[in-house]
Amino acid sequence: MAPIKNTISNRFAILFIIVAAGFLYIAVKLCVIRYGESGELLKTDKFYNQTSDIIIHGNRGDIYDAKGELLSTTIVYHNVYMDFGAECITDSRGAKDSLNKYLPGLAKHLSDLFKDKSAAGYEKSIRTAFKTKDRNFRLCPVRIMHKQYLEILDLPFFTYINKGKKRSTMFREALKKEEETDESERFYPFGDLAKQTIGNRRTKGNATQRLYGIEKEWNDSLRGKQGKGVNILFAGRRINRCYEGQEAENGYDIHTTIDSRMQDIADKALRRKLAELEAATGCLLLMKATTGELRAIVNLQRNAAGAYSEQVNMAFGDFVGGEEVAEPGSTFKVPVMVTLLESGRINLDTQVDVEGGVVRIANTTITDDKDHLFPNREHYYVKPEEVIVSSLNTGISKLLWKAYGEKSEISKFYEQLFKTGINTDIDFRVSINNLKDKYGNNRKPLLIPESNKPGDYLKMAYGYGSMRVPPVNMLMFYNAIANDGKMVKPYFIKSLNKDGKAVYEFETEVINPAVCSPKTLKAVQTMLEKVVSDEHGTAHRTAQSKAVKIAGKTGTAQIHNRQMERTGLQATFAGYFPIHGEMYSAIVVMRGKSERMYGSAAAAVIKEVAEKIYANETTLSLDSLKTDSNDLKVPSKNGNAAQLKRAASALGIDIKDRTGGEWVRTVAGDNVINVNEGCANPLDAVRGMGLTDAVYLLEKNNYKVKLDRNAYIGMVKEATLTGKTVLLTLN
């Protein structure tokens, strides 16, 4: 029994030693982590027990367009470090060989990326860190974006391919990164596109600069909820931990109604016209008529270098600091006409005498520059339709005076006008830059003249008289005409989303279910159509399109400063057009000093936008491309009969040839080529031929060929013989 007992005791002793050695090894490792390899207590930020209470921010939400395209997002940055003292490197026998093999490629990539020093410089600093076993070597001199970080990871220094799969090298295991999400660094994939609406968010130090648009007005929703927690510094790595119940919440993603493709079309069209006219500012709004969803919001201003960028929110009422009176001009004639017809005090057959284009009412002279309409006429009677189609200041003023002015009942006119809803103060929750408080809030319509003079009321009829209507309000009214009389509020925030799902959705808000009666609506719609289609319409030359039916009203107004000094002209076109059964309304306003700044110029912008949107939204099926054979006329040239038959056979086209000649003349038929006659005389045969056949036939018959110096590529028109030389004239 004694030998067995000794054997068991020995085994337990060995097992105890092994277990004790294991615990001792663990204890030593903990001491290394606790006190460092040098044996001294770590007093740097690697000390794991250092903690501090911090505010932890949630991720800022993104902004999207109507189709899910990203308009604004936060960039995630990485601070990248290497731990050359990590065991994966120090315990590897091949570390130095791998470093020598792959370091040149890494050094060159870093040098090309940051351009702060040469590849040799990077290689030297990395070798030094490797030699000294630097535990916190900063590989990249500045923070980098996630895409750049992934590109670095794909380098052979960090990744190799084994059996078709990516594997990490020892250096990849020693790579460390700290993520830094800085909500002040926002990225806008479409650059300046719709910038005044989307906004901007930039910071310098602790100060926030250029905060406006959605980024400002919806800041609380975008930034989410702050949390509170602790920041643990462990072995050179930062770890944030939220306290239970005080977690940070990510911000909402905002989905807008803007269509990036339509926005781009509108931006380019307006930009071209502004440059052509050397205009100072311009805006364009495009809205879906039935819902009020704004598809495009363009605001452009010319800078000192002559380029255009989004600097002021003109569309919503910011007219370069509000220093200039923003009178709408003749586009306001339509709301006035609707009001007059709805009052019942005039009708479509009411006539007024515009007296040859110059009238005087209540000690106020009103003129029209319309010599083509009434040359040298003392009296010229017009009806409401012609007043709108030809945009007659005299006509609309006389109609207003006839309906209300003579009875001193202008206040009743305003009561009727306000029933339409045009004076609605729209809250867009988008800030306006550069407004000066002493001039008030330009976003609110001002329709009643500041003075009580009758002359100002008469000027108001054609959009003058110190009144103010922001473009978006004017668009809202014209959109009601397009939308069968229903006035809806324009909006551009569609929903607030969390984790890909809509949490809050915004729907169409009806301001007025009917701005006028169906009879008045139909009459005004006809007037607006004729503004474009009628030969006397003010937008006939620039807005009429073969692809899209456009209706609307032009407006031209003088711009005055507060001292009533003229500073330029304002051109406007407000209207609507259908795209595949869906109606869109739009308004363009441009300002500048050019004498070509007329409403018709603004109408040309709408035409370009309408046609390009129509082209982009049109999808043709293969069946729609099939042509009825009864309508097909096969084009053909005179020429060699054998070649003609060979080509026709390959194309599946019938040839009716009863002549039997070598050179023939052809006539296009319905899905057939008819050969009328053969041509024995070469000079007769070449007429109607292509140039190649004509030259071949003439030279074959021993003629010399010359071409008319003004000849173009085409069929032979004439063949003139002089001696043995034939001069060919082409179509």
Side-chain angles (χ1 to χ4, degrees), residues 555-703:
T556 306
Q558 295 182 2
I559 305 171
H560 299 89
N561 59 21
R562 290 288 164 173
Q563 289 72 44
M564 295 311 296
E565 298 169 336
R566 175 177 163 176
T567 58
L569 292 173
Q570 175 175 289
T572 307
F573 183 83
Y576 48 88
F577 53 88
I579 300 293
H580 304 308
E582 187 67 63
M583 192 71 74
Y584 290 89
S585 59
I587 187 170
V588 171
V589 182
M590 302 184 295
R591 297 182 134 208
K593 296 182 178 181
S594 172
E595 293 301 321
R596 295 179 295 151
M597 190 69 66
Y598 288 104
S600 56
V605 179
I606 295 297
K607 176 186 176 183
E608 180 180 344
V609 170
E611 290 181 338
K612 288 189 175 180
I613 291 177
Y614 179 83
N616 275 273
E617 297 295 318
T618 299
T619 303
L620 297 178
S621 65
L622 293 177
D623 290 338
S624 69
L625 299 177
K626 293 180 179 179
T627 305
D628 190 337
S629 61
N630 294 328
D631 298 328
L632 179 63
K633 299 291 184 181
V634 181
S636 62
K637 297 179 182 179
N638 301 339
N640 182 270
Q643 292 181 355
L644 181 65
K645 290 177 181 179
R646 188 160 52 249
S649 175
L651 295 171
I653 299 172
D654 292 334
I655 287 187
K656 295 182 179 179
D657 178 16
R658 298 181 180 85
T659 65
E662 181 182 4
W663 299 92
V664 296
R665 292 188 179 187
T666 64
V667 176
D670 295 336
N671 204 28
V672 68
I673 296 176
N674 296 297
V675 177
N676 283 358
E677 59 183 14
C679 299
N681 185 348
L683 294 179
D684 292 333
V686 296
R687 292 188 179 91
M689 280 189 184
L691 182 60
T692 302
D693 282 347
V695 172
Y696 172 80
L697 179 59
L698 291 171
E699 290 184 345
K700 180 181 178 182
N701 286 274
N702 299 318
Y703 290 105

Side-chain angles (χ1 to χ4, degrees), residues 92-257:
S92 174
R93 295 180 180 179
K96 189 172 183 179
D97 292 337
S98 296
L99 183 80
N100 292 333
K101 183 177 181 180
Y102 298 117
L103 180 56
L106 173 63
K108 184 179 184 306
H109 182 87
L110 295 176
S111 178
D112 293 342
L113 179 61
F114 301 111
K115 296 179 172 56
D116 59 332
K117 55 184 176 181
S118 65
Y122 271 103
E123 190 169 343
K124 181 180 178 181
S125 61
I126 294 173
R127 286 187 183 279
T128 301
F130 177 80
K131 185 177 180 180
T132 60
K133 298 181 181 180
D134 192 333
R135 302 298 303 268
N136 211 35
F137 173 72
R138 183 154 192 166
L139 185 65
C140 300
V142 296
R143 61 183 188 172
I144 60 175
M145 290 186 291
H146 187 66
K147 180 181 178 182
Q148 295 170 319
Y149 176 72
L150 294 179
E151 290 173 355
I152 291 175
L153 285 187
D154 277 339
L155 295 174
F157 191 83
F158 297 110
T159 304
Y160 68 96
I161 305 298
N162 183 19
K163 296 181 180 180
K165 295 184 178 180
K166 289 185 178 181
R167 306 289 184 183
S168 297
T169 68
M170 66 184 78
F171 298 113
R172 169 67 182 89
E173 295 175 15
L175 191 68
K176 302 184 297 181
K177 65 180 176 68
E178 293 176 355
E179 290 188 5
E180 181 180 343
T181 304
D182 185 354
E183 70 173 41
S184 66
E185 293 291 339
R186 297 284 277 179
F187 176 61
Y188 302 94
F190 290 94
D192 201 47
L193 208 65
K195 181 57 72 67
Q196 278 295 315
T197 305
I198 300 167
N200 203 344
R201 185 178 177 84
R202 290 285 183 266
T203 62
K204 187 175 182 181
N206 294 324
T208 301
Q209 300 175 328
R210 291 184 58 77
L211 183 60
Y212 57 88
I214 295 174
E215 294 279 17
K216 176 183 177 183
E217 298 300 332
W218 294 82
N219 186 46
D220 289 344
S221 299
L222 285 166
R223 71 182 179 185
K225 181 183 177 182
Q226 294 179 340
K228 190 176 181 181
V230 63
N231 178 251
I232 302 175
L233 304 175
F234 177 75
R237 303 289 296 274
R238 295 182 179 181
I239 303 174
N240 291 338
R241 291 288 182 266
C242 288
Y243 297 135
E244 187 175 351
Q246 299 186 49
E247 293 84 359
E249 293 182 9
N250 294 335
Y252 291 101
D253 292 330
I254 293 182
H255 287 250
T256 70
T257 64

Side-chain angles (χ1 to χ4, degrees), residues 317-319 321-322 432-438 440-443:
D318 183 1
F319 287 90
I432 307 298
N433 287 343
N434 304 324
L435 280 180
K436 297 185 177 180
D437 293 337
K438 62 181 179 180
N441 185 351
N442 275 10
R443 282 171 286 178

Side-chain angles (χ1 to χ4, degrees), residues 328-343 388 396 400 404 413-414 416-423 447 460-463 467 469 473-478 481 487 515-516 520 524 527-528 553-554 574:
S330 292
T331 51
F332 197 68
K333 290 174 182 173
V334 176
V336 172
M337 182 61 72
V338 169
T339 303
L340 294 177
L341 291 173
E342 277 297 282
S343 71
I388 296 299
I396 196 71
L400 175 63
Y404 290 97
F413 165 79
Y414 280 107
Q416 186 71 37
L417 175 66
F418 291 163
K419 287 180 181 179
T420 65
I422 191 174
N423 63 321
L447 305 181
M460 175 273 303
Y462 50 90
M467 61 184 303
V469 182
N473 287 77
M474 189 64 75
L475 173 67
M476 183 173 67
F477 182 86
Y478 277 80
I481 303 300
M487 180 178 285
V515 297
C516 61
T520 298
V524 173
M527 294 176 190
L528 296 182
K553 180 72 185 74
T554 58

Side-chain angles (χ1 to χ4, degrees), residues 515-572:
V515 297
C516 61
S517 65
K519 181 180 179 181
T520 298
L521 177 68
K522 184 177 180 180
V524 173
Q525 287 175 337
T526 301
M527 294 176 190
L528 296 182
E529 291 171 7
K530 289 187 176 181
V531 168
V532 178
S533 63
D534 191 275
E535 62 177 343
H536 295 303
T538 52
H540 177 69
R541 291 185 302 105
T542 56
Q544 190 170 31
S545 169
K546 294 181 180 179
V548 185
K549 185 178 180 180
I550 301 172
K553 180 72 185 74
T554 58
T556 306
Q558 295 182 2
I559 305 171
H560 299 89
N561 59 21
R562 290 288 164 173
Q563 289 72 44
M564 295 311 296
E565 298 169 336
R566 175 177 163 176
T567 58
L569 292 173
Q570 175 175 289
T572 307

